[in-house]
Amino acid sequence: MTDRSGTPATAIGGLGVSGTTGPARVAGAARTAVVWDALARLLPDLSEGAPLEIVDAGGGTGGAAVPLAELGHRVTVVEPNPDSLAALERRAAESGVTVRGVQGDTRDLPSLVPAEGADLVLVHNVLEYVDDPAAALADVVGVTRPGGAVSLLATNAVAGALHRALAGHVADAHRLLSDPDGRWGEADPMPRRFTRQGLLELVGAAGLTGESVRGVRVFTDVIPGHAWEGDAQAGQHLLELEKAAAGHPELIGIATQLHVIAHRG
């Protein structure tokens, strides 16, 4: 797998885009800000001052794992791609932290991670690609301790239809909305997308509770880059807009991704 989790601009809890220049870097910071903001609030509640055992399923090259390790947590990345694991090792070494990287997929979690051994499991942009999302989530829950949390990040089918329509592919957008897997056709590179309701039903069926849904990348993926060129504060404004939109009931529906934090009872 590629590194789909993204890297925060600064340490969790102090994420910002001050000093960021260029549309690409501004957009990159805004795309990840909402997820890191939610994790920044979650980590203290889980840890109570002690290092956490964190598993990043499909964690790629460590975009999430290394910053979490820098905060003092013990992080294991389970990733099927050996090249990504090699890049993870290099990234961790450059940052002066240790991250355990093991080759495997979600179905391998029971043999790679102790049962109920994780305080937090990240499952970011993974459920779109697995053969059976319900089975994958069951394996995730199995390695999560009672009272622990699961962070899910998944692609939004409604936003997929919006983006296809905005690109002029109206028929594709129509097909996507009626397809049970949220795909616009055989050439669609995304194996699966989720609606907000579908994702919540999946979470509930796995026995997870207390879930909350936030929208990720509500505006960033539809605003043209030139909209903030020449404005030194535009990046910060976009980041603040994304944070405000993340919990807005109407805007969550058009976010490119849906972020759910749920707990194992």
Side-chain angles (χ1 to χ4, degrees), residues 127-128 130-138 192 194 202:
L127 296 182
E128 295 93 330
V130 297
D131 293 334
D132 186 340
L137 197 51
R192 186 183 298 106
F194 296 87
L202 188 66

Side-chain angles (χ1 to χ4, degrees), residues 96-164:
V97 297
T98 299
V99 175
R100 177 181 175 235
V102 292
Q103 190 169 357
D105 219 322
T106 51
R107 62 180 176 270
D108 302 311
L109 285 172
S111 64
L112 298 174
V113 180
E116 301 183 353
D119 300 297
L120 170 65
V121 183
L122 307 184
V123 191
H124 291 178
N125 298 101
V126 170
L127 296 182
E128 295 93 330
Y129 298 93
V130 297
D131 293 334
D132 186 340
L137 197 51
D139 288 329
V140 166
V141 172
V143 300
T144 307
R145 69 165 172 83
V150 175
S151 172
L152 291 170
L153 188 65
T155 304
N156 183 8
V158 175
L162 174 63
H163 296 165
R164 292 304 287 175

Side-chain angles (χ1 to χ4, degrees), residues 66-249:
V66 170
L68 290 168
E70 289 175 336
L71 294 177
H73 302 297
R74 294 183 288 269
V75 187
T76 296
V77 170
V78 178
E79 165 62 43
N81 189 327
D83 293 335
S84 293
L85 288 173
L88 163 68
E89 185 176 357
R90 291 192 296 271
R91 174 179 276 181
E94 290 170 358
S95 297
V97 297
T98 299
V99 175
R100 177 181 175 235
V102 292
Q103 190 169 357
D105 219 322
T106 51
R107 62 180 176 270
D108 302 311
L109 285 172
S111 64
L112 298 174
V113 180
E116 301 183 353
D119 300 297
L120 170 65
V121 183
L122 307 184
V123 191
H124 291 178
N125 298 101
V126 170
L127 296 182
E128 295 93 330
Y129 298 93
V130 297
D131 293 334
D132 186 340
L137 197 51
D139 288 329
V140 166
V141 172
V143 300
T144 307
R145 69 165 172 83
V150 175
S151 172
L152 291 170
L153 188 65
T155 304
N156 183 8
V158 175
L162 174 63
H163 296 165
R164 292 304 287 175
L166 289 175
H169 304 290
V170 177
D172 286 353
H174 192 184
R175 282 193 293 269
L176 192 156
L177 285 178
S178 60
D179 185 81
D181 288 326
R183 305 183 76 233
W184 48 258
E186 291 299 321
D188 191 341
M190 183 68 70
R192 186 183 298 106
R193 296 179 180 85
F194 296 87
T195 63
R196 180 182 182 183
Q197 185 61 34
L199 190 60
L200 286 176
E201 289 175 358
L202 188 66
V203 167
L208 297 169
T209 61
E211 65 273 5
S212 61
V213 182
R214 291 169 66 80
V216 178
R217 293 156 56 182
V218 174
F219 294 105
T220 304
D221 291 349
V222 295
I223 297 177
H226 64 74
W228 54 76
E229 287 179 353
D231 184 348
Q233 299 300 316
Q236 186 65 39
H237 293 160
L238 178 60
L239 186 149
E240 292 169 356
L241 177 62
E242 286 288 354
K243 288 184 177 181
H248 195 289

Side-chain angles (χ1 to χ4, degrees), residues 27-52:
R31 286 187 181 107
T32 60
V34 168
V35 175
W36 288 109
D37 190 50
L39 291 177
R41 293 194 300 274
L42 173 67
L43 292 174
D45 292 338
L46 291 176
S47 69
E48 297 181 350
L52 294 171

